């Protein structure tokens, strides 16, 4: 059986989760990563996506995050999200508003860098929308 470790999911509004888990899947900006007990230390930025945790009894649970960063140590994992909610609490209209804002940011961008950032965010939000529909 996999060994448990401490995981905390924190948003500016509140602590969403603080418990022992055996696995956390995080949407890193360089791709999804799986964190297990005794993971090598790392700090990474995260993109909008779904964080999946697995408790010691094997039950999965999911949270939607909108950016932030993750700090992984051999003892545990802390994810500091810009915004986070349980997957069942995500409101389709809120996500649609974020997509609309990203489209407007893309259209209003004046430099290549601004366009690229807005396009990346729009793609991430659209992928997130598809992932939530599938969940």
């Amino acid at each position: 059986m996999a060994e448990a470790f401490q995981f905390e999911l924190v948003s500016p509004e509140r602590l969403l989760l603080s418990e022992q888990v055996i696995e956390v899947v995080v949407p890193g900006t360089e791709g999804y990563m799986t964190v297990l007990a005794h993971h090598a230390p790392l700090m990474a930025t995260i993109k909008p996506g779904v964080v999946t945790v697995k408790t010691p009894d094997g039950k999965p649970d999911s949270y939607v995050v909108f950016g932030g960063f993750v700090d992984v140590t051999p003892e545990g994992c802390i994810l500091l999200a810009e915004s986070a909610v349980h997957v069942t609490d995500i409101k389709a209209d809120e996500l649609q508003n974020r997509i609309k804002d990203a489209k407007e940011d893309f259209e209003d961008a004046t430099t290549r860098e601004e366009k690229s950032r807005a396009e990346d965010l729009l793609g991430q939000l659209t992928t997130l929308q598809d992932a939530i529909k599938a969940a």
Side-chain angles (χ1 to χ4, degrees):
M1 185 167 127
E3 189 175 338
F5 62 96
Q6 184 64 30
F7 173 68
E8 293 186 350
L9 174 58
V10 183
S11 75
E13 299 84 30
R14 64 190 170 123
L15 174 66
L16 279 96
L17 183 67
S18 179
E19 67 181 62
Q20 294 286 307
V21 300
I22 58 171
E23 177 182 294
V24 178
V25 179
V26 178
T29 54
E30 300 297 319
Y32 275 79
M33 65 181 117
T34 301
V35 178
L36 302 171
H38 308 293
H39 195 287
L42 95 97
M43 186 173 276
T45 55
I46 59 171
K47 65 181 180 179
V50 178
V51 173
T52 305
V53 298
K54 191 179 290 185
T55 58
D57 61 5
K59 293 181 182 174
D61 202 6
S62 299
Y63 297 82
V64 175
V65 295
F66 293 97
F69 70 93
V70 63
D71 184 20
V72 180
T73 66
E75 295 79 33
C77 177
I78 299 173
L79 193 153
L80 300 171
E82 291 173 13
S83 177
V85 295
H86 193 270
V87 73
T88 59
D89 295 334
I90 192 72
K91 295 181 178 34
D93 58 336
E94 178 184 331
L95 186 53
Q96 274 306 120
N97 287 337
R98 288 180 187 246
I99 291 172
K100 180 182 170 212
D101 290 344
K103 285 179 181 177
E104 290 172 1
D105 289 346
F106 178 76
E107 291 167 4
D108 295 342
T110 57
T111 67
R112 199 176 292 169
E113 290 171 347
E114 289 174 345
K115 278 210 181 289
S116 179
R117 271 195 304 265
E119 186 175 38
D120 287 346
L121 179 58
L122 183 57
Q124 292 167 0
L125 291 172
T126 304
T127 300
L128 176 57
Q129 184 179 41
D130 294 342
I132 292 169
K133 286 179 184 175

